[in-house]
Amino acid sequence: MHAHGYATHSATQALGPFDFERREPRPQDVAIEIQYCGICHSDIHTARSEWGETHYPFVPGHEIVGRVTAVGSEVSRFKAGDLVGVGCLVDSCGHCESCNDGLEQYCDNGWTGTYGSEDKIGGTPHSHTLGGYADRITVDQHFVLSIPDNLDPAAAAPLLCAGITTYSPLKHWQVSAGQKVGVIGLGGLGHMGVKFAHAMGAHVVMITTSPGKAADAQKLGAHEVLISKDAQAMQAAMGSFDFLLNTIPVGHDVDPYMNLLKRDGAMVIVGSVEPLTRVDGVPFIFKRRTMAGSLIGGLPETQEMLDFCGEHNIVCDIEMIDMKDVNDAYERTVKGDVKYRFVIDMATLKNGAA
């Protein structure tokens, strides 16, 4: 199947038009016409080989929403015309303990990412997977998700990464009404953490270094804002939080945040994939606190998250762009100049705007 999209051919090259092939649908496959694709900071890191050497040509994109155009003979969950999504995974071993538990993101034998992973299925001239900055994609039905009809499909696209990344730890650590939850950092992840924690009934505190973000945080559902540079305010808040969702994307000193937790409280890291600059054992030992990490979500939980969003009318705050503006959007994302997620309108690939 011929596809048209945008790719880069080296770590220093801008994204540009690229024609390539998708596999013809197998019996268990779903063919999708992509309508929208979100821009994740992971796209940028991978395009620029900042997390290790990337396979080129590289087509980014793992926040995909579109319409089903065809299904294989063994597909029962989807039909042509359905609104569907594809997130960060397109394959896993399917038989390890994690996969059997519906936690494909922790596949013991290595899951296949929507882009940049070894293509173990084949059917195209490419040795690695190519992502959603394109007009179409073919995906095994197990890794395709239903998008609730009441959601804006463009604003739903980042739910496939930013949404599940924040929803999963909130659910796993059983955030609920009556709890005090802090969301550290107000960006693409943090703004979704605020929305989810609010919808789960928690008392939500946005923890940020920027006083200028207070009004936005409250519009998103935060009940309070705690400025982490305010030593007096941080001291007053010590020992008062049940749970902290830490979305800071770079290495940092976690001790000031750990001291905010109650006895037996937990802080979960979802943003930093860099070494933490300081971790002292005292805040853990003397209050039996926990620090943990969390990675996206499995397919069952991702569908649960989408259904939760449909029930509570939750989507991402987005800025829509044409495909031709993707390189500018990358630079703005790096600078933090977006509220809070860019989404590419794939119709611009067809009408010449790309």
Side-chain angles (χ1 to χ4, degrees):
M1 295 173 60
H2 182 73
H4 176 58
Y6 261 45
T8 180
H9 297 267
S10 78
T12 58
Q13 185 185 63
L15 292 162
F18 179 61
D19 291 316
F20 60 102
E21 298 299 318
R22 299 286 196 192
R23 71 174 181 267
E24 291 289 339
R26 305 170 302 159
Q28 62 270 46
D29 279 342
V30 176
I32 302 165
E33 179 182 17
I34 301 173
Q35 295 178 328
Y36 304 101
C37 188
I39 294 177
C40 176
H41 210 132
S42 299
D43 301 350
I44 302 171
H45 288 305
T46 311
R48 297 176 176 177
S49 286
E50 293 173 349
W51 288 345
E53 185 59 35
T54 294
H55 296 284
Y56 298 100
F58 173 68
V59 178
H62 60 204
E63 298 177 346
I64 299 166
V65 169
R67 293 281 177 185
V68 175
T69 57
V71 298
S73 59
E74 297 176 7
V75 174
S76 58
R77 295 173 49 227
F78 304 101
K79 64 183 184 305
D82 284 352
L83 184 66
V84 297
V86 178
C88 302
L89 312 179
V90 292
D91 197 14
S92 69
C93 80
H95 56 74
C96 69
E97 183 176 2
S98 293
C99 287
N100 288 336
D101 287 342
L103 298 170
E104 295 88 350
Q105 79 275 30
Y106 302 123
C107 177
D108 299 337
N109 297 301
W111 46 267
T112 300
T114 306
Y115 57 62
S117 289
E118 177 188 356
D119 185 355
K120 298 178 182 179
I121 296 175
T124 73
H126 319 293
S127 62
H128 55 280
T129 53
L130 301 174
Y133 292 11
D135 58 1
R136 66 181 68 226
I137 194 168
T138 305
V139 182
D140 186 294
Q141 64 172 337
H142 181 75
F143 296 88
V144 179
L145 299 142
S146 296
I147 304 295
D149 289 333
N150 64 304
L151 297 182
D152 173 2
L159 295 175
L160 279 306
C161 179
I164 187 57
T165 295
T166 49
Y167 179 88
S168 183
L170 292 169
K171 286 293 291 187
H172 182 76
W173 274 269
Q174 300 179 340
V175 166
S176 60
Q179 292 186 327
K180 184 178 179 181
V181 171
V183 179
I184 306 170
L186 185 60
L189 295 178
H191 94 286
M192 290 307 305
V194 169
K195 290 187 179 189
F196 282 136
H198 180 93
M200 292 172 181
H203 181 87
V204 184
V205 181
M206 166 51 57
I207 304 172
T208 177
T209 60
S210 305
K213 293 184 177 180
D216 274 358
Q218 289 168 338
K219 288 178 184 177
L220 293 164
H223 300 94
E224 299 179 46
V225 176
L226 174 61
I227 306 303
S228 58
K229 290 182 177 180
D230 184 336
Q232 185 175 355
M234 290 287 282
Q235 178 70 26
M238 283 181 61
S240 66
F241 285 83
D242 296 283
F243 181 85
L244 295 172
L245 181 69
N246 187 333
T247 74
I248 298 173
V250 295
H252 59 282
D253 180 358
V254 301
D255 290 351
Y257 302 110
M258 291 300 297
N259 283 317
L260 295 174
L261 289 168
K262 295 178 180 179
R263 173 181 50 81
D264 293 327
M267 178 170 72
V268 179
I269 306 289
V270 296
S272 178
V273 291
E274 300 178 1
L276 298 171
T277 60
R278 176 180 168 83
V279 180
D280 189 337
V282 170
F284 296 85
I285 294 169
F286 282 84
K287 288 290 185 179
R288 202 164 60 187
R289 298 171 174 128
T290 301
M291 183 170 70
S294 181
L295 176 69
I296 53 173
L299 275 298
E301 187 175 54
T302 305
Q303 187 61 63
E304 175 190 309
M305 178 271 304
L306 290 167
D307 294 340
F308 182 88
C309 289
E311 179 183 351
H312 295 275
N313 200 28
I314 294 173
V315 290
C316 296
D317 286 21
I318 67 166
E319 180 178 335
M320 191 95 76
I321 64 165
D322 291 351
M323 187 77 251
K324 66 180 177 59
D325 298 322
V326 65
N327 293 298
D328 290 337
Y330 270 27
E331 297 307 318
R332 287 181 56 194
T333 299
V334 171
K335 295 175 182 176
D337 180 25
V338 57
K339 289 184 178 179
Y340 284 92
R341 219 54 179 199
F342 285 114
V343 172
I344 305 166
D345 180 358
M346 287 304 164
T348 60
L349 274 172
K350 302 174 187 176
N351 63 21

